[in-house]
Amino acid sequence: MPTWTLAYATEPEGEPAPPPPSPWRQRLAEGWRVFRGNLLGRIGMVLLGLFALMALCSYLPPAIDPMYHPMTGVDPQVLHSVGPSWRHWLGTDFMGRDILSQLLAGARVAFLVGVSAAFMAIVLGVSVGMTAGYAGGVVDHLLMRLADMIMVMPTLLVVLMLAALFGRLNIWTIVLMIALFRWPGVSRVIRAQTLSLKQRPFIDAARVAGASHLRIVFRHILPNVLPLAFLYMTFRVTSAIVIEAALAFLGFGDPGTVSWGMMLQWVWKTGHMFRAPWWLLPPGICISLITLAFYMLGRAMDEVLDPRLRDETQAG
Amino acid sequence: MRRFVLARLAQVVVILFLILTVLFVLFRLAPGDPVSRLVDPNLTPEEAAHLIRQLGLDQPLTTQYLLYLKNFFTGNFGYSFHYGRPVAEVIWERLPNTVLLFTTAVVLSALVGVSWGKIAAWYQGRWSDTALTILALVTHTLFLPWVALLMVWVFAYHLGLFPITGMISPEVWLDPQAGVWARVVDVAWHMVLPLATLFIMHFGSYLLIMRSAMLDTLKEDYILTARAKGLPQKVIRNHHAAPNAALPVVTSVGLSLAFSINGGALTETVFSWPGIGRELVLAVSQNDYPLAQAAFLLIATVVLLSNLIVDVLYAYLDPRIRY
């Protein structure tokens, strides 16, 4: 029973009753309260804020001087890898490009790859999961077997194999490939949720009222599975960022973008890893921290959505 | 139980056929000439003609498909462009190396992860729990190739404790005087860094899964009964709670296998460990299609079979599970 009905009932006669807050806003406010109380969630948010700031700042260095362009800018006075200085705060790479501006550009690529691949994977996973759960029978069986099959495949190696057949992949193809191979986990969870929702009285009520299948799925089931989908999106973001970085590290990234994985591939392949710690350390720290940030955010959201977990941590 | 195993086995066979078919279609869909992808450009015209006949590349697609399936099941994967030898030979040479590194890493990280997860859950909320959970969270999200590079940089380059790359030292293996023991020690010495990298990356997820499963188990009635009987704490923890809590870990081994295999390939590549994963990466960068195809199919088969084994093991370990 929502608390506002009680307050409404005891309202004195003369004064107008305040409009009840919508259940959605109430749920959001409650969720936000739990989220703020979670230390992991707060750390994750702060870290992500810093990375977002880095991504925004990535437009600054090339605007200051073309030699700070992450891909094509070369410092004519350097032309090889030197350590940090006032001119290059984090040093330069093997051809005299500024490491700091590459690092900032990498943040942009990480967000782009992570969020777009995760979003596509979630859209696919939610559609397949809802279809399988709602339709049942043969459709359900076939879709879930397909999901099982894709789920156990090592995504990095599959994308590598496709890169072998279709030549160099650009960043959007990589994003698409990651999305195509990372939806099954989501679809399983969404299917389970849909199956349990299907048994609830409000779905029967909608059906009796003459709602079509599409209307039931989109108006009644979708809003109830969305929070779960968002939770899974944070975990997909981390896996997408890591797969893109690993692909770039192995030398199969988009040659036109500067990602953190690409920076590691350069430091490794040009034999600078023993000589240039200023170049080896930052990209790895960034990839690890952004993954950690999204992971912490996911675990905090898990707690918001699953009251069982909430009680457990409060007891401890 | 037998029906369940047979049903799952049939499923694995169907999935394998699907993967084979998809790969067959992709090889012929990809831009360029499929013949150039399967026949080494360096062969003499006679040799090439012989290979084309053997693979049925001059036949209609249906015949090609049947020949392809036959070749897969008889282990004939053609000739590697890079090595100029039968692909199957190269694969069989590399397989034991991967199995050695990979199984040691998975077993070690699962054992350590499970026992630390047990301890973390038992001391829930105390500093040992907090420290272990944070350690697991942080190591679990590190970027594997970077960890591998750091390992090489610190322990091999700066401290000089371990070799930088490879699996054996030629001077030990070429020396006829060196006994079996010296060779085993040599391989173990080369294996320390790759093993440590895989361990750091993988124990965290086992720890976190074990911890949350153990916390659930500790709330069960039979734990309360055990406490009421006045059993020693250690007995309750190790004999009543832990074996039941370890069940979800078994499933997670199967599900995280794909993730671990990605990591295995990256580790092998950085440390130049002569295994299947590194061979696949090399084959892809050298456009050695027959070798890449065979390595990929082998990995896919192993993944499918391991998942089958994990499912059967789970049903065997947990009598409540009946399919």
Side-chain angles (χ1 to χ4, degrees):
Chain A
M1 195 69 172
T3 42
W4 55 264
T5 38
L6 276 177
Y8 194 58
T10 53
E11 210 67 55
E13 276 290 308
E15 285 172 41
S22 77
W24 258 100
R25 280 185 52 193
Q26 211 177 352
R27 264 167 72 184
L28 273 181
E30 165 70 10
W32 177 243
R33 199 184 56 73
V34 176
F35 186 85
R36 267 192 330 192
N38 183 300
L39 181 67
L40 285 185
R42 281 205 307 262
I43 299 176
M45 280 300 263
V46 170
L47 279 175
L48 279 186
L50 288 179
F51 280 115
L53 202 64
M54 277 179 73
L56 284 179
C57 288
S58 71
Y59 295 98
L60 283 179
I64 294 170
D65 192 320
M67 87 177 177
Y68 288 127
H69 190 281
M71 193 68 178
T72 56
V74 174
D75 188 343
Q77 294 178 13
V78 182
L79 294 177
H80 63 97
S81 184
V82 293
S85 62
W86 272 117
R87 204 175 154 84
H88 302 283
W89 291 358
L90 286 178
T92 57
D93 74 353
F94 66 105
M95 46 197 270
R97 293 181 296 189
D98 188 59
I99 302 235
L100 180 63
S101 38
Q102 290 186 347
L103 206 64
L104 297 178
R108 203 169 67 209
V109 175
F111 271 109
L112 183 110
V113 168
V115 174
S116 49
F119 183 73
M120 281 194 248
I122 292 300
V123 170
L124 256 173
V126 169
S127 343
V128 172
M130 284 197 317
T131 313
Y134 188 76
V138 185
V139 178
D140 180 27
H141 192 75
L142 283 180
L143 285 175
M144 283 304 108
R145 290 294 82 76
L146 181 69
D148 283 349
M149 178 177 122
I150 295 179
M151 187 137 90
V152 298
M153 286 293 128
T155 314
L156 176 66
L157 300 184
V158 172
V159 178
L160 206 64
M161 194 67 204
L162 291 170
L165 286 172
F166 293 90
R168 282 233 166 257
L169 304 173
N170 74 27
I171 197 79
W172 291 111
T173 328
I174 294 174
V175 165
L176 188 69
M177 299 276 180
I178 295 174
L180 280 179
F181 286 98
R182 297 308 294 171
W183 59 264
V186 188
S187 72
R188 278 189 152 190
V189 178
I190 298 296
R191 171 181 169 270
Q193 184 85 352
T194 309
L195 280 179
S196 96
L197 284 169
K198 221 168 76 172
Q199 306 299 325
R200 309 267 176 90
F202 72 92
I203 299 291
D204 286 335
R207 191 173 298 128
V208 171
S212 67
H213 290 310
L214 276 180
R215 189 180 162 81
I216 291 177
V217 167
F218 284 103
R219 291 290 304 176
H220 299 280
I221 292 182
L222 185 65
N224 285 298
V225 298
L226 271 188
L228 208 60
F230 275 117
L231 166 67
Y232 272 78
M233 189 163 154
T234 59
F235 293 126
R236 287 309 121 197
V237 172
T238 62
S239 77
I241 291 176
V242 169
I243 290 170
E244 192 278 334
L247 209 59
F249 174 77
L250 290 175
F252 300 95
D254 183 341
T257 48
V258 183
S259 75
W260 292 327
M262 213 65 153
M263 292 174 71
L264 280 177
Q265 135 94 2
W266 286 327
V267 73
W268 180 46
K269 276 290 152 77
T270 57
H272 280 76
M273 53 179 276
F274 299 142
R275 275 177 281 154
W278 61 84
W279 183 6
L280 172 65
L281 296 177
I285 293 174
C286 282
I287 302 174
S288 305
L289 275 185
I290 202 171
T291 320
L292 184 66
F294 273 110
Y295 192 77
M296 284 176 164
L297 199 69
R299 283 183 72 101
M301 277 172 64
D302 210 0
E303 202 170 294
V304 172
L305 295 179
D306 189 348
R308 209 171 53 96
L309 288 175
R310 207 180 299 167
D311 294 335
E312 188 177 278
T313 40
Q314 269 169 3
Chain B
M1 185 73 183
R2 179 182 287 171
R3 262 196 62 202
F4 162 66
V5 176
L6 284 178
R8 282 288 282 120
L9 199 64
Q11 213 177 32
V12 166
V13 172
V14 170
I15 292 177
L16 200 59
F17 262 104
L18 268 177
I19 293 175
L20 277 167
T21 312
V22 168
L23 217 53
F24 176 85
V25 173
L26 280 179
F27 260 70
R28 277 143 190 91
L29 263 187
D33 177 18
V35 174
S36 71
R37 223 167 281 125
L38 294 167
V39 179
D40 192 344
N42 299 324
L43 288 179
T44 64
E46 294 85 53
E47 284 172 326
H50 176 73
L51 198 59
I52 287 175
R53 249 199 324 283
Q54 200 190 356
L55 293 173
L57 291 178
D58 47 356
Q59 307 280 324
L61 277 178
T62 44
T63 325
Q64 279 187 40
Y65 181 62
L66 291 176
L67 264 173
Y68 165 81
L69 289 183
K70 183 187 149 225
N71 283 335
F72 173 76
F73 286 107
T74 51
N76 176 9
F77 293 101
Y79 283 80
S80 155
F81 298 177
H82 179 68
Y83 294 96
R85 291 196 292 148
V87 166
E89 239 179 74
V90 179
I91 294 280
W92 282 121
E93 265 175 38
R94 304 289 185 260
L95 188 61
N97 305 338
T98 295
V99 171
L100 174 68
L101 178 64
F102 197 72
T103 40
T104 319
V106 169
V107 169
L108 189 72
S109 35
L111 284 181
V112 174
V114 164
S115 58
W116 287 1
K118 184 176 79 183
I119 291 170
W122 191 255
Y123 297 108
Q124 189 200 3
R126 301 222 222 132
W127 68 266
S128 48
D129 172 35
T130 316
L132 281 174
T133 311
I134 289 178
L135 185 74
L137 269 176
V138 171
T139 56
H140 176 61
T141 52
L142 288 173
F143 186 52
L144 191 145
W146 183 65
V147 174
L149 290 179
L150 283 188
M151 285 279 182
V152 176
W153 183 49
V154 175
F155 294 102
Y157 181 75
H158 273 292
L159 302 177
L161 292 175
F162 301 102
I164 288 180
T165 54
M167 180 174 167
I168 52 171
S169 334
E171 63 272 17
V172 176
W173 284 71
L174 290 176
D175 179 10
Q177 309 279 286
V180 178
W181 184 239
R183 294 182 182 187
V184 170
V185 170
D186 185 51
V187 170
W189 183 54
H190 280 81
M191 204 165 89
V192 173
L193 288 185
L195 192 62
T197 308
L198 284 172
F199 171 73
I200 290 175
M201 292 303 301
H202 294 324
F203 82 92
S205 61
Y206 295 122
L207 194 158
L208 294 174
I209 293 165
M210 180 66 186
R211 179 180 175 274
S212 73
M214 184 87 173
L215 285 177
D216 279 346
T217 311
L218 287 177
K219 287 184 201 138
E220 297 277 351
D221 289 340
Y222 58 81
I223 299 294
L224 193 67
T225 313
R227 284 190 207 277
K229 278 198 298 187
L231 287 177
Q233 297 285 320
K234 228 178 172 170
V235 174
I236 299 176
R237 187 183 74 193
N238 294 342
H239 298 282
H240 291 242
N244 290 301
L247 277 174
V249 181
V250 175
T251 328
S252 88
V253 171
L255 286 179
S256 66
L257 197 68
F259 173 72
S260 321
I261 283 182
N262 287 339
L266 288 165
T267 312
E268 283 181 5
T269 310
V270 174
F271 289 100
S272 300
W273 185 268
I276 301 283
R278 173 168 174 266
E279 215 53 66
L280 175 58
V281 173
L282 284 181
V284 168
S285 41
Q286 288 157 346
N287 290 330
D288 190 344
Y289 298 103
L291 186 55
Q293 183 188 17
F296 182 80
L297 282 174
L298 178 74
I299 291 173
T301 315
V302 169
V303 169
L304 289 175
L305 288 180
S306 327
N307 271 288
L308 173 72
I309 293 171
V310 165
D311 277 3
V312 173
L313 195 68
Y314 194 80
Y316 173 76
L317 287 178
D318 189 347
R320 286 172 300 185
I321 304 286
R322 279 294 157 255
Y323 295 90

